[in-house]
Amino acid sequence: QVQLVESGGGSVQPGGSLRLSCAASGSIFSVYAMAWYRQTPGKQRELVAILTSGGSTNYADSVKGRFTISGDSAKNTVYLQMNSLKPEDTAVYYCNVRAVVGGFWGQGTQVTVSS
């Protein structure tokens, strides 16, 4: 059974920073990418950042230069460092792991940016 546990969400003022973590446990083999998505009420879940097993990264235009995705393969953990946060970054953030056996999702963590 694969489980993804996210942490690090919370409330922050505009311009602040947060670091999200996602730890994967269970029988995950041949992971080829780990990613972060976010979703707000009434909208589709959108890709925020992705990290491939080869080390390549890609970001949504709205977060480029502010967010950084990184990973620790030994710990099966992926991080999302979020700087210069804006109110429009407010959302539930989900961790996603893509492996040969399939895709897996975390439970989501709320990020609220407000003054």
Side-chain angles (χ1 to χ4, degrees):
Q1 185 73 17
V2 174
Q3 186 176 18
L4 304 182
V5 178
E6 299 147 344
S7 60
S11 296
V12 65
Q13 292 186 342
S17 298
L18 285 174
R19 189 192 195 209
L20 305 182
S21 299
C22 173
S25 62
S27 300
I28 295 184
F29 302 100
S30 300
V31 172
Y32 59 86
M34 301 183 79
W36 288 95
Y37 286 73
R38 66 187 180 187
Q39 188 171 24
T40 55
K43 293 188 177 181
Q44 286 189 332
R45 195 170 294 187
E46 65 169 350
L47 177 66
V48 176
I50 187 168
L51 171 66
T52 71
S53 58
S56 298
T57 58
N58 200 15
Y59 298 90
D61 289 342
S62 59
V63 307
K64 283 181 180 177
R66 301 187 297 120
F67 291 10
T68 302
I69 189 170
S70 61
D72 185 337
S73 58
K75 297 180 179 179
N76 278 338
T77 300
V78 64
Y79 307 96
L80 185 68
Q81 178 67 43
M82 304 185 294
N83 298 328
S84 302
L85 282 160
K86 304 175 180 180
E88 51 263 43
D89 294 318
T90 296
V92 177
Y93 284 71
Y94 296 90
C95 174
N96 171 251
V97 171
R98 305 176 187 183
V100 171
V101 296
F104 305 92
W105 291 94
Q107 79 285 358
T109 185
Q110 177 70 45
V111 171
T112 302
V113 185
S114 174
S115 55

